[in-house]
Every structure is written in structure tokens, then in C-alpha cells.
């Protein structure tokens, strides 16, 4: 019993120390410094001035008719170079995921989006902000053509964002599509959830 108490006490002390130590001002440098060092495309200030603007730009840049090239530099400019795009899904072996960098997403999905045509719009959003961070649960609808009456797919993009004092950056987009047995709850089908 003494060993269990001692282990619990040691664990509590470790957590207290971890949270008591102030976070470094720039753990890896700030996002703008990292982007500049990586030769990252510069964003249009209008695209990154607010959470609303950057999410609108995100949906806009991946959408377009068949045969229209996407502006992958604009796409990348919305994101920190270390950003991840993470689709999830259910298959024979259970739930899985794939993590892509912005470049990998453009390489993997770009040709398909441009050949087939693809339009994704935000149907609703719930956003929480604290200090320099924001999290948006963005409900999406996907269509092959802009004027398709019904979406072929719906789901939720979980978007994590950072404001460096000058602009917003997307750090992660983690998403799940509706599927058999997985339906979007009503609270995520209206703004503010």
C-alpha cells in the first residue's frame, strides 16, 4: 500500500512540476519565423485576419470544378509548416487515420480534387477561443458540383488554430465523415452548437 501511495505521490509531484514550469515564449520559434525559414508561401492578410476568414479561405481554396487547378501555395499559406491534416475512418480493421503534412495532402488529394471536381462548404460551426488558441468544430458538406442539390458527404472538421499576434495559423485539421452508424448530432448542424 505504501508503494502505491508513494507512486501516486510521485506522479502528482511530476504533474505539478510540469504545469508549474512556465512554457517557453517560443518553444520552436514562432510560426512566422518557422514559415519564413521553410520558404513557406506568404498569406494574403485578408485570409488570415480572423478565425472566420481563415476557415472561409480553407474551404474556398480546396473547392473548384473539374479541370481547375487549386492554388496550393494559398492552401499552404493558411497553415503552419508543421500542420497536420488527419482524416479518420472506419474500416474492416476498426477506426484508423492518416496524418499528412500540407505538402502531402496537396500531393495525395490534389490530383483527385482537380480531376473530379469538388466543392466543400461549411454548414455550421462551433468555436471556442482562449488566449492565442482557437478550436473550431466545422461541419462540412461536400459536393461534386457547386450546384448539386444534395451533398455526397458530410462530416466534421476539427480545426486547431493559433494566433501569433499578427495572424491566424491552422495547426491541425482532424476530420471524420458521416458513415453507417455515425451521424452528425443536431447540435453541430447549427452555429454555436
Amino acid at each position: 500500500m505504501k508503494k502505491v501511495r508513494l507512486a501516486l505521490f510521485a506522479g502528482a509531484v511530476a504533474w505539478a512540476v510540469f504545469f508549474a514550469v512556465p512554457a517557453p515564449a517560443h518553444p520552436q520559434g514562432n510560426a512566422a519565423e518557422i514559415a519564413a525559414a521553410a520558404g513557406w508561401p506568404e498569406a494574403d492578410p485578408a485570409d488570415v485576419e480572423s478565425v472566420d476568414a481563415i476557415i472561409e479561405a480553407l474551404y474556398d481554396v480546396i473547392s473548384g470544378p473539374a479541370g481547375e487547378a487549386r492554388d496550393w501555395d494559398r492552401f499552404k499559406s493558411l497553415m503552419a509548416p508543421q500542420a497536420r491534416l488527419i482524416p479518420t475512418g472506419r474500416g474492416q480493421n476498426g477506426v484508423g487515420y492518416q496524418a499528412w503534412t500540407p505538402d502531402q495532402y496537396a500531393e495525395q488529394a490534389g490530383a483527385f480534387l482537380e480531376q473530379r471536381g469538388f466543392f466543400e462548404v461549411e454548414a455550421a460551426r462551433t468555436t471556442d477561443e482562449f488566449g492565442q488558441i482557437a478550436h473550431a468544430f466545422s461541419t462540412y458538406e461536400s459536393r461534386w458540383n457547386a450546384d448539386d442539390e444534395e451533398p455526397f458527404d458530410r462530416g466534421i472538421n476539427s480545426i486547431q488554430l493559433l494566433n501569433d499576434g499578427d495572424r491566424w495559423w491552422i495547426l491541425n485539421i482532424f476530420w471524420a465523415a458521416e458513415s453507417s452508424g455515425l451521424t452528425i448530432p443536431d447540435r453541430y448542424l447549427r452555429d454555436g452548437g
Side-chain angles (χ1 to χ4, degrees), residues 4 11 22 30 32 40 44 54 56 61 67 69 78-79 87 89 98 100 107-108 110 129 131 139 148 175 178:
V4 171
N30 70 37
W40 211 241
D44 178 337
I54 199 168
E56 183 179 323
V61 76
L78 304 174
M79 301 185 193
Q98 173 71 49
W100 290 315
E107 291 166 14
Q108 297 292 321
E129 292 185 42
T139 303
D148 288 349
W175 70 94
E178 278 188 320

Side-chain angles (χ1 to χ4, degrees), residues 39-76:
W40 211 241
E42 193 169 322
D44 178 337
D47 280 350
V48 295
E49 67 185 1
S50 67
V51 171
D52 288 341
I54 199 168
I55 291 175
E56 183 179 323
L58 173 67
Y59 284 112
D60 181 57
V61 76
I62 62 171
S63 297
E68 180 179 288
R70 305 304 189 263
D71 184 348
W72 294 114
D73 279 346
R74 181 183 182 207
F75 173 80
K76 288 170 48 177

